[in-house]
Amino acid sequence: MKTVYIPMCADIVHSGHLNIIKTGQNLGDVTIGLLTDEAVASKKRLPFMTYAQRHEVVSNLKGVSNVVPQVTSDYRPNLTQLKPDYVVHGNDWAPSARQQVIDTISEWGGELVEVEYTEGISSTKLHQKLKEAGTTPEARLKKLAKLLNTKKTVRALEAHNGLSALIVENTTVKNEKGHLRQFDAVWISSLTDSIAKGKPDIELVDRTSRVNTINEVLEVTTKPVIVDGDTGGHQAHFVHTVKTLERLGVSAIVIEDKCGLKQNSLHENVNDHEQESVATFSAKIKAGVNAKINDEFMIIARIESLILGKGQDEALERARNYIAAGASAIMIHSKDESGKDIKEFCDAYNTLDNRRPLMVVPTSYNSIYEAELTEWGANIIVYANHLLRVAYPAMSQAAQTILSHDRAVEVESTAIPINDFLKLVSRN
Ligand code: SPV
Ligand code: MG
């Protein structure tokens, strides 16, 4: 009997999948190459179902003889190993991947059979519908930890209100391999949440107001949310914040080891910035860890030592202590535009026995590519302020243009048309 290989994610199984399997069954003995969570995440998005759940569904489908894991989004390793007579695939795929398959299986006379795309149904469209249906706080809370287990690096972008959060939620581009790229998580920055309100980033915008912004973001998104918790405030307050955020479905809070009047780390002059003692900050972390009720809720400890010029050893020593206190992850911050001190920190940090995920914020060292940061060891990369920073010059320019011309027609060419504007938030 001839052998047939069919690669699949099979997260949401629909008639398109059954069509492909039926075609395979008519050609021979069907082996499904079931993409592992890591393989799916590298190509599209985190699957809803675990590998084990997807395996159970697929292995019980009529016409399937065998299910093997496909651990990369690249089909070639499994094909070379199994040498199937046929590969069956839907015809809506990236030309480069298609050519790779043809070239590989032609080595042993294998043939590619393509199945017509099933009109009107695709897992991407179903995923979109599921997104519109929303998510639960509990499912969302757990998503960040799950992402960190399946992806090398999680990519987050700043949002400061519902509309900017929709951009983080919905923006996608396809890379050269045809894989979808998108942001994995939302960062709620104290800097942009404050500046959007016309206030300085000095913990002046109070917790109730910050929670309002968080709610605004949660209401229109499904992606995991990481909250910038500033210093975390007084320890007795911090434990309440942890509980509030867990209840809302936030995945993580970052607290920074500063005290006194907290100011933004990117200020030119940091002479009056005060760093918290290791003991006091560790106690705050511990209190937060004791207060949280979900294992997956992350308390991320942010180290300001490099910002304050205290050196690598001090920064690493703090990382050691904060992890020992129970921090779920470490954020290291730096203003060094070359990225050298972040690289140096990463090299040392990676040798820690009890290493936890590492978060970086490449605002100053913005020329370093994600791939490089990933190679250094970054697990979470945050674009912390860019949506608001690009919005401001555009808005300011519009105000100037109207004033200069005594009318508004001149701004129209740079503005979103009203109908598209209305559609941005329409659910129909
Ligand atoms: C923020 O976005 O508010 C941050 C990151 O805390 S930074 O502005 O770089 O300090
Ligand atoms: Mg901040």
Side-chain angles (χ1 to χ4, degrees), residues 103-207:
D103 293 346
T104 307
I105 60 180
S106 68
E107 283 170 27
W108 55 87
E111 224 181 285
L112 171 68
V113 175
E114 290 182 296
V115 177
E116 194 63 31
Y117 167 73
T118 309
E119 217 34 69
I121 191 148
S122 78
S123 36
T124 303
K125 278 188 189 155
L126 287 168
H127 181 261
Q128 186 57 34
K129 291 267 173 229
L130 279 171
K131 249 174 48 167
E132 280 164 20
T135 182
T136 64
E138 197 185 349
R140 188 202 303 245
L141 185 153
K142 293 180 175 169
K143 254 189 210 168
L144 182 64
K146 206 167 157 191
L147 275 167
L148 285 166
N149 283 331
T150 43
K151 290 190 80 175
K152 265 197 190 150
T153 321
V154 169
R155 182 193 296 127
L157 177 63
E158 165 265 331
H160 49 276
N161 59 16
L163 184 61
S164 55
L166 280 176
I167 295 177
V168 184
E169 177 82 8
N170 294 327
T171 305
T172 58
V173 297
K174 271 198 177 161
N175 71 4
E176 63 291 348
K177 285 187 192 155
H179 296 172
L180 209 60
R181 288 173 75 84
Q182 57 182 315
F183 292 96
D184 301 299
V186 188
W187 164 248
I188 302 190
S189 150
S190 69
L191 176 65
T192 64
D193 194 8
S194 303
I195 293 193
K197 293 172 172 58
K199 297 276 166 65
D201 181 19
I202 51 171
E203 293 185 292
L204 175 64
V205 176
D206 72 3
R207 208 168 61 99

Side-chain angles (χ1 to χ4, degrees), residues 269-330:
N269 180 358
V270 293
N271 288 344
D272 58 348
H273 290 203
E274 224 183 305
Q275 199 171 19
E276 185 59 277
S277 75
V278 171
T280 306
F281 197 66
S282 298
K284 201 187 281 187
I285 295 167
K286 246 182 222 158
V289 171
N290 287 337
K292 70 177 189 153
I293 48 177
N294 291 277
D295 283 346
E296 295 88 348
F297 182 79
M298 297 177 71
I299 294 175
I300 304 180
R302 162 171 167 175
I303 298 171
E304 290 291 304
S305 305
L306 301 183
I307 295 278
L308 301 173
K310 294 194 179 173
Q312 295 285 342
D313 292 346
E314 215 263 353
L316 193 66
E317 191 49 30
R318 282 184 179 259
R320 248 191 224 109
N321 277 284
Y322 299 164
I323 291 172
S328 330
I330 294 292

Side-chain angles (χ1 to χ4, degrees), residues 158 187-192 201 228 230 256 258 262-266 302 304 331 333 361 363 382 384-385:
E158 165 265 331
W187 164 248
I188 302 190
S189 150
S190 69
L191 176 65
T192 64
D201 181 19
D228 176 357
D230 288 318
E256 60 197 271
K258 285 207 195 101
K262 191 230 81 155
Q263 299 175 69
N264 187 272
S265 308
L266 302 178
R302 162 171 167 175
E304 290 291 304
M331 171 185 152
H333 208 7
V361 181
T363 305
V382 177
N385 46 51

Side-chain angles (χ1 to χ4, degrees), residues 37-73:
D37 290 353
E38 290 81 356
V40 181
S42 74
K43 205 174 155 178
K44 291 187 179 177
R45 67 191 98 79
L46 201 62
F48 290 108
M49 291 195 289
T50 63
Y51 180 84
Q53 290 167 331
R54 293 183 289 119
H55 188 282
E56 192 174 351
V57 171
V58 171
S59 51
N60 282 295
L61 290 178
K62 202 167 132 194
V64 172
S65 304
N66 199 10
V67 182
V68 297
Q70 184 180 307
V71 299
T72 60
S73 60

Side-chain angles (χ1 to χ4, degrees), residues 3-17:
T3 56
V4 182
Y5 184 78
I6 305 180
M8 258 184 198
C9 306
D11 192 20
I12 309 169
V13 176
H14 54 71
S15 54
H17 294 101

